[in-house]
Amino acid sequence: MDFALRAEQLELQRTVRDFLADKAPESAVRALMDDETGHDPRVWRQMATQLGLQGLTIDEDYGGAGCGLQEQAVVFEAMGAAVFGGPYFATVALAVPALARAGGSAAAEYLPRIAQGELIATVALEASAAERTPDGWALTGEAGYVLDGHLADLVVVPARTAVGVSLFAVVGDAPGLKREPLATVDQTRRLARLTLDATPAQPVGVGGAGTEILDHALDVAAVLLAAEQVGGASGCLTETVEYAKVREQFGRPIGSFQAIKHVWTDLLLEVESARAAAQFGAWAADCAPAELPVAASLAKAHCSQAYSRVATESIQLHGGIGFTWEHRAHLYFKRAKSSELLLGGIAHHRERLVQRLGL
């Protein structure tokens, strides 16, 4: 495994960073925090048609670029540094791996539309009940904390069937589907509660394979979330260092004090070790799939801890201004805390890591 980015990955990193600097500066991020949907359709379409970001890991047969998770991780790291919101994570990190793993007619129908930026998708993680109807299948149940469930055009829902947990696709305007936005600590990340009442649904993949598909999709999502956390921690640390170079106390920049340098050194070690863990997870997904479950939990636990520590120390190092809502440090802090719990907290992934290692 090579930790250095290849030339094409560096070019992808530069392109995404330039795009986000132009289309998603802090002012745009804050504007979307006050928006009812938290989503900018114009930027979403540009991401798909100009950069191909939604289809980066989608197979070429479905209109994607066919790249690996290592390239996708480069994109998420750049987005983490920009505290980029919207439905990209739910669509690309959750729904795409689930649909791709399931294959079949649902993948052929929905993945090309995701690659073209025509479809926002997400995955519900709580199982509903499925029953056959004269027209196909219908789902009944409730799913809480669904990422971007308030605006998704497609929701992949696990449901109990006679052959075990199976996956189903529910379109956003299906009859019997009620969507209720939830209040979130991190306003750049939206959640919703979904209620299904005899809602028509289309089977996704082989019946009874839902648990295996979801486990794989969640491992992929954990690796990509870890990459996003690395980007956030790195961006947060960089901005804090720049502040300490110009903020003076006792006639000299506060960054010149040894006590501050010691903290920075510790935080830099946290960020770089977290980057190595996230890169290992992406490499495992591409080159050693058998190691993905261990690598995913390792990366998610370690990167969650690193990002939360960097964001917390950043507020302290900024002094009084760091406690004001107007300062960017709060965007990093809230994203760090929400990402720490998303897809399972640190203790959850450490427990999974122990189980997966057979200890």
Side-chain angles (χ1 to χ4, degrees):
M1 172 183 175
D2 188 353
F3 287 100
L5 297 183
R6 299 189 297 273
E8 61 271 24
Q9 292 171 335
L10 288 170
E11 179 63 19
L12 174 64
Q13 181 186 64
R14 184 193 62 77
T15 301
V16 175
R17 285 178 175 176
D18 289 348
F19 179 84
L20 294 173
D22 181 40
K23 306 296 181 183
E26 182 181 345
S27 58
V29 171
R30 289 184 180 275
L32 288 180
M33 289 165 61
D34 295 328
D35 184 82
E36 185 176 349
T37 64
H39 169 56
D40 186 337
R42 182 179 56 87
V43 173
W44 179 261
R45 180 55 65 95
Q46 289 175 334
M47 289 166 58
T49 58
Q50 296 179 12
L51 303 184
L53 296 185
Q54 284 89 324
L56 196 61
T57 58
I58 292 176
D59 194 275
E60 291 175 315
D61 292 340
Y62 297 136
C67 293
L69 218 63
Q70 293 173 92
E71 285 72 33
Q72 189 69 74
V74 169
V75 174
F76 272 104
E77 184 172 333
M79 290 183 170
V83 202
F84 185 69
Y88 188 75
F89 185 86
T91 301
V92 172
L94 276 172
V96 166
L99 290 168
R101 186 78 166 187
S105 59
E109 179 178 354
Y110 295 119
L111 287 177
R113 295 178 61 193
I114 290 176
Q116 292 300 315
E118 299 172 354
L119 194 74
I120 294 170
T122 189
V123 176
L125 300 180
E126 294 180 63
S128 297
E131 64 175 3
R132 282 193 176 277
T133 68
D135 299 323
W137 290 88
L139 306 185
T140 298
E142 183 176 295
Y145 307 109
V146 180
L147 271 175
D148 297 299
H150 64 297
L151 56 75
D153 304 302
L154 174 75
V155 185
V156 177
V157 182
R160 297 177 292 276
T161 66
V163 295
V165 174
S166 304
L167 295 185
F168 293 86
V170 176
V171 295
D173 58 356
L177 173 63
K178 179 183 176 183
R179 310 200 276 189
E180 179 186 357
L182 300 175
T184 58
V185 171
D186 175 14
Q187 292 96 329
T188 65
R189 189 97 80 188
R190 303 299 178 92
L191 298 169
R193 180 184 296 110
L194 305 184
T195 304
L196 302 101
D197 183 8
T199 304
Q202 170 192 359
V204 174
V206 178
T211 300
E212 185 274 331
I213 294 170
L214 273 186
D215 281 348
H216 171 76
L218 288 173
D219 284 340
V220 171
V223 169
L224 295 177
L225 180 57
E228 186 190 275
Q229 290 172 309
V230 169
S234 179
C236 184
L237 179 59
T238 299
E239 292 191 13
T240 306
V241 170
E242 291 302 318
Y243 174 77
K245 289 179 180 177
V246 298
R247 174 73 169 89
E248 292 189 356
Q249 189 62 270
F250 306 115
R252 51 190 285 201
I254 62 173
S256 64
F257 292 109
Q258 193 171 36
I260 300 295
K261 291 179 181 178
H262 286 169
V263 176
W264 283 348
T265 302
D266 288 343
L267 296 182
L268 181 61
L269 287 174
E270 290 270 8
V271 172
E272 291 305 318
S273 61
R275 178 174 283 116
Q279 287 181 323
F280 172 61
W283 172 85
D286 290 342
C287 305
E291 296 187 39
L292 175 60
V294 168
S297 286
L298 171 68
K300 178 60 173 61
H302 191 66
C303 295
S304 292
Q305 179 175 291
Y307 192 7
S308 288
R309 184 184 175 195
V310 171
T312 301
E313 292 286 2
S314 172
I315 289 179
Q316 297 298 326
L317 290 170
H318 273 90
I321 194 173
F323 286 84
T324 60
W325 167 237
E326 291 77 10
H327 199 277
R328 187 176 172 85
H330 269 277
L331 300 182
Y332 285 121
F333 181 77
K334 291 189 173 183
R335 174 63 70 86
K337 300 311 290 185
S338 70
S339 296
E340 182 180 323
L341 297 176
L342 186 63
L343 306 180
I346 295 173
H348 168 78
H349 278 282
R350 284 176 175 165
E351 177 64 27
R352 286 176 68 87
L353 181 59
V354 168
Q355 294 174 357
R356 288 170 165 180
L357 287 171
L359 299 177

PDB file of all heavy atoms in Angstrom, residues 152-155 169-179 195-202:
ATOM      1  N   ALA A 152     -34.970  13.060  -0.376  1.00  0.00           N
ATOM      2  CA  ALA A 152     -34.486  12.003  -1.262  1.00  0.00           C
ATOM      3  C   ALA A 152     -35.568  11.584  -2.262  1.00  0.00           C
ATOM      4  O   ALA A 152     -36.730  11.419  -1.908  1.00  0.00           O
ATOM      5  CB  ALA A 152     -34.034  10.794  -0.450  1.00  0.00           C
ATOM      6  N   ASP A 153     -35.149  11.411  -3.513  1.00  0.00           N
ATOM      7  CA  ASP A 153     -36.066  10.906  -4.540  1.00  0.00           C
ATOM      8  C   ASP A 153     -36.236   9.396  -4.431  1.00  0.00           C
ATOM      9  O   ASP A 153     -37.185   8.839  -4.973  1.00  0.00           O
ATOM     10  CB  ASP A 153     -35.507  11.233  -5.936  1.00  0.00           C
ATOM     11  CG  ASP A 153     -35.244  12.716  -6.104  1.00  0.00           C
ATOM     12  OD1 ASP A 153     -36.200  13.498  -5.955  1.00  0.00           O
ATOM     13  OD2 ASP A 153     -34.079  13.094  -6.370  1.00  0.00           O
ATOM     14  N   LEU A 154     -35.276   8.753  -3.774  1.00  0.00           N
ATOM     15  CA  LEU A 154     -35.298   7.301  -3.631  1.00  0.00           C
ATOM     16  C   LEU A 154     -34.768   6.924  -2.254  1.00  0.00           C
ATOM     17  O   LEU A 154     -33.734   7.426  -1.825  1.00  0.00           O
ATOM     18  CB  LEU A 154     -34.410   6.656  -4.709  1.00  0.00           C
ATOM     19  CG  LEU A 154     -34.216   5.147  -4.591  1.00  0.00           C
ATOM     20  CD1 LEU A 154     -35.477   4.425  -5.040  1.00  0.00           C
ATOM     21  CD2 LEU A 154     -33.022   4.693  -5.409  1.00  0.00           C
ATOM     22  N   VAL A 155     -35.497   6.044  -1.567  1.00  0.00           N
ATOM     23  CA  VAL A 155     -35.052   5.550  -0.262  1.00  0.00           C
ATOM     24  C   VAL A 155     -34.931   4.033  -0.340  1.00  0.00           C
ATOM     25  O   VAL A 155     -35.895   3.346  -0.721  1.00  0.00           O
ATOM     26  CB  VAL A 155     -36.042   5.929   0.860  1.00  0.00           C
ATOM     27  CG1 VAL A 155     -35.476   5.497   2.218  1.00  0.00           C
ATOM     28  CG2 VAL A 155     -36.333   7.417   0.856  1.00  0.00           C
ATOM     29  N   ALA A 169     -36.799  -0.568  -2.773  1.00  0.00           N
ATOM     30  CA  ALA A 169     -36.660   0.825  -3.198  1.00  0.00           C
ATOM     31  C   ALA A 169     -38.024   1.504  -3.106  1.00  0.00           C
ATOM     32  O   ALA A 169     -39.016   1.003  -3.640  1.00  0.00           O
ATOM     33  CB  ALA A 169     -36.142   0.887  -4.635  1.00  0.00           C
ATOM     34  N   VAL A 170     -38.046   2.633  -2.413  1.00  0.00           N
ATOM     35  CA  VAL A 170     -39.274   3.412  -2.261  1.00  0.00           C
ATOM     36  C   VAL A 170     -39.029   4.787  -2.868  1.00  0.00           C
ATOM     37  O   VAL A 170     -38.079   5.482  -2.479  1.00  0.00           O
ATOM     38  CB  VAL A 170     -39.667   3.556  -0.779  1.00  0.00           C
ATOM     39  CG1 VAL A 170     -40.888   4.458  -0.625  1.00  0.00           C
ATOM     40  CG2 VAL A 170     -39.938   2.191  -0.161  1.00  0.00           C
ATOM     41  N   VAL A 171     -39.854   5.197  -3.816  1.00  0.00           N
ATOM     42  CA  VAL A 171     -39.669   6.508  -4.424  1.00  0.00           C
ATOM     43  C   VAL A 171     -40.189   7.587  -3.475  1.00  0.00           C
ATOM     44  O   VAL A 171     -41.072   7.345  -2.634  1.00  0.00           O
ATOM     45  CB  VAL A 171     -40.377   6.602  -5.788  1.00  0.00           C
ATOM     46  CG1 VAL A 171     -39.736   5.650  -6.772  1.00  0.00           C
ATOM     47  CG2 VAL A 171     -41.859   6.330  -5.651  1.00  0.00           C
ATOM     48  N   GLY A 172     -39.625   8.780  -3.608  1.00  0.00           N
ATOM     49  CA  GLY A 172     -39.892   9.840  -2.648  1.00  0.00           C
ATOM     50  C   GLY A 172     -41.333  10.286  -2.569  1.00  0.00           C
ATOM     51  O   GLY A 172     -41.783  10.760  -1.516  1.00  0.00           O
ATOM     52  N   ASP A 173     -42.080  10.169  -3.686  1.00  0.00           N
ATOM     53  CA  ASP A 173     -43.477  10.607  -3.688  1.00  0.00           C
ATOM     54  C   ASP A 173     -44.458   9.435  -3.633  1.00  0.00           C
ATOM     55  O   ASP A 173     -45.618   9.574  -4.024  1.00  0.00           O
ATOM     56  CB  ASP A 173     -43.763  11.463  -4.927  1.00  0.00           C
ATOM     57  CG  ASP A 173     -43.458  10.707  -6.222  1.00  0.00           C
ATOM     58  OD1 ASP A 173     -42.955   9.573  -6.143  1.00  0.00           O
ATOM     59  OD2 ASP A 173     -43.719  11.279  -7.301  1.00  0.00           O
ATOM     60  N   ALA A 174     -43.995   8.304  -3.114  1.00  0.00           N
ATOM     61  CA  ALA A 174     -44.864   7.112  -3.047  1.00  0.00           C
ATOM     62  C   ALA A 174     -46.027   7.354  -2.084  1.00  0.00           C
ATOM     63  O   ALA A 174     -45.862   7.998  -1.040  1.00  0.00           O
ATOM     64  CB  ALA A 174     -44.042   5.910  -2.580  1.00  0.00           C
ATOM     65  N   PRO A 175     -47.213   6.844  -2.409  1.00  0.00           N
ATOM     66  CA  PRO A 175     -48.348   6.982  -1.485  1.00  0.00           C
ATOM     67  C   PRO A 175     -48.072   6.239  -0.175  1.00  0.00           C
ATOM     68  O   PRO A 175     -47.501   5.158  -0.180  1.00  0.00           O
ATOM     69  CB  PRO A 175     -49.506   6.343  -2.259  1.00  0.00           C
ATOM     70  CG  PRO A 175     -48.870   5.480  -3.296  1.00  0.00           C
ATOM     71  CD  PRO A 175     -47.577   6.141  -3.657  1.00  0.00           C
ATOM     72  N   GLY A 176     -48.476   6.871   0.937  1.00  0.00           N
ATOM     73  CA  GLY A 176     -48.265   6.251   2.244  1.00  0.00           C
ATOM     74  C   GLY A 176     -46.925   6.575   2.871  1.00  0.00           C
ATOM     75  O   GLY A 176     -46.663   6.160   4.001  1.00  0.00           O
ATOM     76  N   LEU A 177     -46.060   7.318   2.171  1.00  0.00           N
ATOM     77  CA  LEU A 177     -44.758   7.696   2.728  1.00  0.00           C
ATOM     78  C   LEU A 177     -44.853   9.094   3.325  1.00  0.00           C
ATOM     79  O   LEU A 177     -45.159  10.062   2.630  1.00  0.00           O
ATOM     80  CB  LEU A 177     -43.674   7.673   1.651  1.00  0.00           C
ATOM     81  CG  LEU A 177     -42.288   8.206   2.083  1.00  0.00           C
ATOM     82  CD1 LEU A 177     -41.705   7.341   3.202  1.00  0.00           C
ATOM     83  CD2 LEU A 177     -41.329   8.253   0.896  1.00  0.00           C
ATOM     84  N   LYS A 178     -44.598   9.189   4.613  1.00  0.00           N
ATOM     85  CA  LYS A 178     -44.607  10.482   5.320  1.00  0.00           C
ATOM     86  C   LYS A 178     -43.187  10.803   5.742  1.00  0.00           C
ATOM     87  O   LYS A 178     -42.499   9.967   6.344  1.00  0.00           O
ATOM     88  CB  LYS A 178     -45.519  10.398   6.547  1.00  0.00           C
ATOM     89  CG  LYS A 178     -45.569  11.684   7.357  1.00  0.00           C
ATOM     90  CD  LYS A 178     -46.443  11.507   8.589  1.00  0.00           C
ATOM     91  CE  LYS A 178     -46.431  12.769   9.460  1.00  0.00           C
ATOM     92  NZ  LYS A 178     -47.231  12.584  10.698  1.00  0.00           N
ATOM     93  N   ARG A 179     -42.750  12.045   5.463  1.00  0.00           N
ATOM     94  CA  ARG A 179     -41.369  12.443   5.769  1.00  0.00           C
ATOM     95  C   ARG A 179     -41.388  13.642   6.714  1.00  0.00           C
ATOM     96  O   ARG A 179     -42.004  14.657   6.422  1.00  0.00           O
ATOM     97  CB  ARG A 179     -40.639  12.784   4.476  1.00  0.00           C
ATOM     98  CG  ARG A 179     -40.802  11.694   3.437  1.00  0.00           C
ATOM     99  CD  ARG A 179     -39.762  11.758   2.398  1.00  0.00           C
ATOM    100  NE  ARG A 179     -40.041  12.690   1.318  1.00  0.00           N
ATOM    101  CZ  ARG A 179     -39.317  12.763   0.225  1.00  0.00           C
ATOM    102  NH1 ARG A 179     -38.273  11.957   0.085  1.00  0.00           N
ATOM    103  NH2 ARG A 179     -39.610  13.602  -0.728  1.00  0.00           N
ATOM    104  N   THR A 195     -42.153   7.509   7.819  1.00  0.00           N
ATOM    105  CA  THR A 195     -43.221   6.591   8.194  1.00  0.00           C
ATOM    106  C   THR A 195     -43.826   6.012   6.930  1.00  0.00           C
ATOM    107  O   THR A 195     -44.203   6.746   6.013  1.00  0.00           O
ATOM    108  CB  THR A 195     -44.314   7.319   8.997  1.00  0.00           C
ATOM    109  OG1 THR A 195     -43.720   7.947  10.141  1.00  0.00           O
ATOM    110  CG2 THR A 195     -45.381   6.348   9.459  1.00  0.00           C
ATOM    111  N   LEU A 196     -43.889   4.684   6.884  1.00  0.00           N
ATOM    112  CA  LEU A 196     -44.426   3.999   5.709  1.00  0.00           C
ATOM    113  C   LEU A 196     -45.719   3.292   6.099  1.00  0.00           C
ATOM    114  O   LEU A 196     -45.749   2.531   7.075  1.00  0.00           O
ATOM    115  CB  LEU A 196     -43.428   2.983   5.149  1.00  0.00           C
ATOM    116  CG  LEU A 196     -42.061   3.547   4.740  1.00  0.00           C
ATOM    117  CD1 LEU A 196     -41.026   3.253   5.811  1.00  0.00           C
ATOM    118  CD2 LEU A 196     -41.606   2.960   3.401  1.00  0.00           C
ATOM    119  N   ASP A 197     -46.770   3.538   5.343  1.00  0.00           N
ATOM    120  CA  ASP A 197     -48.076   2.937   5.604  1.00  0.00           C
ATOM    121  C   ASP A 197     -48.575   2.269   4.323  1.00  0.00           C
ATOM    122  O   ASP A 197     -49.123   2.917   3.446  1.00  0.00           O
ATOM    123  CB  ASP A 197     -49.059   4.018   6.062  1.00  0.00           C
ATOM    124  CG  ASP A 197     -50.416   3.452   6.427  1.00  0.00           C
ATOM    125  OD1 ASP A 197     -50.556   2.205   6.483  1.00  0.00           O
ATOM    126  OD2 ASP A 197     -51.348   4.248   6.647  1.00  0.00           O
ATOM    127  N   ALA A 198     -48.299   0.958   4.229  1.00  0.00           N
ATOM    128  CA  ALA A 198     -48.649   0.204   3.014  1.00  0.00           C
ATOM    129  C   ALA A 198     -48.102   0.914   1.772  1.00  0.00           C
ATOM    130  O   ALA A 198     -48.789   1.076   0.761  1.00  0.00           O
ATOM    131  CB  ALA A 198     -50.160   0.022   2.911  1.00  0.00           C
ATOM    132  N   THR A 199     -46.851   1.320   1.863  1.00  0.00           N
ATOM    133  CA  THR A 199     -46.203   2.080   0.795  1.00  0.00           C
ATOM    134  C   THR A 199     -45.674   1.134  -0.288  1.00  0.00           C
ATOM    135  O   THR A 199     -44.923   0.199   0.024  1.00  0.00           O
ATOM    136  CB  THR A 199     -45.036   2.906   1.372  1.00  0.00           C
ATOM    137  OG1 THR A 199     -45.543   3.742   2.417  1.00  0.00           O
ATOM    138  CG2 THR A 199     -44.395   3.757   0.302  1.00  0.00           C
ATOM    139  N   PRO A 200     -46.035   1.361  -1.542  1.00  0.00           N
ATOM    140  CA  PRO A 200     -45.528   0.495  -2.630  1.00  0.00           C
ATOM    141  C   PRO A 200     -44.002   0.541  -2.691  1.00  0.00           C
ATOM    142  O   PRO A 200     -43.392   1.599  -2.506  1.00  0.00           O
ATOM    143  CB  PRO A 200     -46.150   1.113  -3.892  1.00  0.00           C
ATOM    144  CG  PRO A 200     -47.309   1.903  -3.401  1.00  0.00           C
ATOM    145  CD  PRO A 200     -46.945   2.397  -2.047  1.00  0.00           C
ATOM    146  N   ALA A 201     -43.392  -0.625  -2.952  1.00  0.00           N
ATOM    147  CA  ALA A 201     -41.933  -0.710  -2.973  1.00  0.00           C
ATOM    148  C   ALA A 201     -41.483  -1.714  -4.017  1.00  0.00           C
ATOM    149  O   ALA A 201     -42.210  -2.664  -4.336  1.00  0.00           O
ATOM    150  CB  ALA A 201     -41.399  -1.097  -1.594  1.00  0.00           C
ATOM    151  N   GLN A 202     -40.273  -1.492  -4.519  1.00  0.00           N
ATOM    152  CA  GLN A 202     -39.692  -2.365  -5.541  1.00  0.00           C
ATOM    153  C   GLN A 202     -38.536  -3.149  -4.929  1.00  0.00           C
ATOM    154  O   GLN A 202     -37.654  -2.554  -4.290  1.00  0.00           O
ATOM    155  CB  GLN A 202     -39.175  -1.508  -6.706  1.00  0.00           C
ATOM    156  CG  GLN A 202     -38.339  -2.251  -7.730  1.00  0.00           C
ATOM    157  CD  GLN A 202     -37.629  -1.308  -8.687  1.00  0.00           C
ATOM    158  OE1 GLN A 202     -37.785  -0.083  -8.588  1.00  0.00           O
ATOM    159  NE2 GLN A 202     -36.862  -1.851  -9.614  1.00  0.00           N
TER     160      GLN A 202
END
